[in-house]
DNA sequence: GTTTTTATTTATCATCTGATAAACTGCAGT
DNA sequence: ACTGCAGTTTATCAGATGATAAATAAAAAC
C-alpha cells in the first residue's frame, strides 16, 4: 500500500525545495504559523534540520509561502473584462466571480489568508487595497451605469457605496470561509450561488435607486 | 498619568478571577491561542504562576474565555421578532441585524471566533448550526412569503436557498471581519449598510423570483 | 498585638522549539 | 573501485514555555 512515503531519497536541491515549500503551504494552512518545524518535517518525511538547509529561518519559509500562494493570482484580464460594456453586466460579474473564486477560494489560499490577517501580516492590507482598486471600484462604476445613476466624474465613489458592493463581494467570499475555515456543508454549485447573488444585487439596486 | 496599572494589590479571588478572564479575552483575541501565559500575566500586571491558582491549565482558561464570550449572546427574542408579520420584513431584518451586530460584531468576539474556527474548535460548528436554525431558515421562510412563493410545507428549504441567504448574512458579517480582522477603514454607519443590503436583497428577490 | 490564613511571588522543572555543527551517506566524476 | 562533493541525518544547544513547589507578605481572625 505504498507505505514508503517518497522516503528519504536524495533529491536535487530544486526538487527538495519545491517539495518543502508545497508541504509547508499545506502544513501552515492547516496549523497556522505557530505550527512547529519538527511536525512539518515529519509530515514531509524528512528530518527537521534539513529544512534549514533550504530556508535560513522559519520566518523566511513562511514568507516564501506567502509569495507562492498570493503572487500573481489576480489576473488583470479579469478586471478589464469587468468593464467591457459590450457584454451584459450580469454575465461580466458571473464570469469574473467564476474566475476569481477558482483562483482564490481554495483551501490553502483562504486559510493562510485568514491566519495572516489575524497575525497582522502586511500581505493582507496590500491585498485588500488591490481588491478595492481593481475589483470593487470598477464594479461600483459599472453598477452606477447599470442603474442610470450619475457618472463617477460628477460625484466620486464614497465609502458607503464601496461598502455596499463589499457586502456582495464579502458574502461570496464568506461562502469560501464557510467551506474551508468552518468546514461546513455548503452547496457545491457555486456558480448558481453567484448567479443568484448577482441577479439579486443588480435588480435590487435598479429597483431601489438610492 | 496613572502609571501604576491596578498594580500588585491583593484582590479577592472573585475579582482576580474576573480580571484574569477579561484580560485573557483581550489577550487571546489579539494574539490567538498560541499566545503565551507569561505575556498574558505581564499584560495583567501579575506574575505567571498566579494564573494557575485560578485556572488549572492554559486550556481551561481558554475554555472559560469561550464561555464568557459566546454564551447567551443570541437573544431568542430577536429571532422571534424576525417572524412577526405585523411588521414589514425590511424593518424586521434591519432591526435584527442592528441587535445582532451590536452583540457579535465586536473586536473580541469576531477575532476569537475566527481563531477558534481555524483551530477547529467545536464552538464554531455549534454556533453555525444555531445561526442556520434560528436565523437563516426563518429568513428563508419570510423571504418566500415576501416574494409570494410556495410555503415551506410544499417544498422544504434546500441548501441553495440557504446559501443564497448566507450571502447577505455573510456579507454583513464580513463587514465586521474587515473592521476587526483586516482592520480596514470601513464606513462607521453600519445601519446604512444594513438598510441598503436588506432593501437590495428584498427587491432583488422579488424582481427575479427564482 | 499576635497568630492564622491565603493571595502572591520567587525559584525551578521538564519539555518543547528554533536553530547549529558535526557525522554520515548516496552519487557523480575519474 | 576510489575519491570528493553535497544532500541528509544524528546529536546538541540555548532560550522559550506550561506547570509546580516553596517562600513571602498582606489581610483576617483572635
Amino acid at each position: 500500500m505504498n507505505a514508503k512515503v517518497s522516503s528519504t531519497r536524495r533529491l536535487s536541491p530544486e526538487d527538495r525545495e519545491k517539495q518543502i515549500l508545497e508541504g509547508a503551504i499545506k502544513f501552515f494552512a492547516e496549523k497556522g504559523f505557530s505550527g512547529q518545524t519538527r511536525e512539518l518535517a515529519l509530515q514531509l518525511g524528512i528530518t527537521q534540520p534539513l529544512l534549514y538547509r533550504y530556508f535560513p529561518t522559519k520566518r523566511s519559509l513562511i514568507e516564501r509561502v506567502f509569495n507562492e500562494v498570493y503572487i500573481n493570482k489576480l489576473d488583470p484580464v479579469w478586471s478589464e473584462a469587468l468593464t467591457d460594456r459590450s457584454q451584459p453586466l450580469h454575465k461580466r460579474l458571473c464570469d469574473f466571480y467564476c474566475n476569481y473564486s477558482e483562483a482564490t477560494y481554495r483551501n490553502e489560499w483562504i486559510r493562510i489568508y485568514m491566519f495572516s490577517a489575524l497575525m497582522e501580516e502586511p500581505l493582507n492590507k496590500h491585498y485588500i487595497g488591490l481588491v478595492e482598486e481593481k475589483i470593487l471600484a470598477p464594479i461600483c462604476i459599472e453598477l452606477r451605469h447599470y442603474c442610470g445613476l450619475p457618472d463617477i466624474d460628477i460625484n466620486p465613489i464614497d465609502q458607503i457605496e464601496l461598502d455596499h458592493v463589499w457586502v456582495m463581494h464579502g458574502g461570496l467570499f464568506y461562502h469560501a470561509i464557510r467551506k474551508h475555515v468552518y468546514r461546513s456543508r455548503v452547496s457545491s454549485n457555486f456558480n448558481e450561488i453567484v448567479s443568484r447573488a448577482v441577479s439579486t444585487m443588480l435588480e435590487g439596486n435598479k429597483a431601489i435607486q438610492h
Side-chain angles (χ1 to χ4, degrees), chain A:
Chain A
M1 300 280 267
N2 198 10
K4 273 243 179 294
V5 264
S6 72
S7 68
T8 319
R9 271 213 10 257
R10 273 164 86 102
L11 293 184
S12 74
E14 304 81 51
D15 286 352
R16 183 64 81 192
E17 181 174 324
K18 196 179 164 196
Q19 183 222 14
I20 291 175
L21 191 50
E22 288 178 356
I25 290 172
K26 281 210 174 77
F27 179 76
F28 288 127
E30 210 48 42
K31 312 273 176 170
F33 303 120
S34 51
Q36 296 134 23
T37 53
R38 274 172 183 79
E39 200 183 337
L40 166 58
L42 186 70
Q43 191 169 300
L44 285 164
I46 62 176
T47 57
Q48 180 246 9
L50 188 56
L51 298 172
Y52 289 86
R53 179 155 182 109
Y54 296 92
F55 302 93
T57 62
K58 181 184 176 181
R59 178 70 203 172
S60 72
L61 174 56
I62 289 173
E63 262 152 26
R64 281 293 305 280
V65 165
F66 286 153
N67 279 335
E68 194 70 14
V69 178
Y70 295 102
I71 289 302
N72 293 332
K73 298 291 174 180
L74 291 188
D75 191 333
V77 169
W78 303 340
S79 53
E80 281 165 28
L82 266 177
T83 62
D84 169 18
R85 292 187 182 167
S86 73
Q87 297 289 324
L89 183 54
H90 180 276
K91 177 172 164 41
R92 280 182 268 156
L93 286 169
C94 287
D95 287 351
F96 172 78
Y97 278 105
C98 181
N99 290 324
Y100 182 69
S101 67
E102 207 150 314
T104 61
Y105 293 6
R106 295 177 171 283
N107 185 66
E108 283 83 14
W109 197 101
I110 296 279
R111 291 181 62 91
I112 289 178
Y113 188 70
M114 291 311 300
F115 274 121
S116 74
L118 285 163
M119 299 298 186
E120 321 246 21
E121 295 288 345
L123 164 67
N124 173 60
K125 278 197 197 308
H126 171 75
Y127 186 77
I128 291 291
L130 228 59
V131 167
E132 293 197 343
E133 181 192 352
K134 305 287 184 194
I135 302 171
L136 299 180
I139 291 179
C140 282
I141 294 169
E142 296 309 305
L143 187 58
R144 278 201 194 171
H145 180 257
Y146 183 84
C147 296
L149 288 168
D151 205 52
I152 184 162
D153 303 325
I154 295 168
N155 41 343
I157 290 166
D158 62 5
Q159 187 67 45
I160 284 274
E161 211 172 344
L162 204 58
D163 278 0
H164 178 61
V165 173
W166 260 116
V167 174
M168 182 190 67
H169 185 84
L172 293 174
F173 190 83
Y174 201 71
H175 186 88
I177 291 183
R178 287 169 57 221
K179 183 170 179 179
H180 298 298
V181 180
Y182 303 165
R183 298 195 161 138
S184 299
R185 206 164 55 81
V186 297
S187 65
S188 51
N189 189 354
F190 185 65
N191 289 352
E192 171 71 15
I193 302 292
V194 171
S195 178
R196 283 201 190 199
V198 168
S199 303
T200 306
M201 195 274 280
L202 292 178
E203 293 314 299
N205 275 287
K206 198 187 262 176
I208 66 179
Q209 294 282 14
H210 9 246

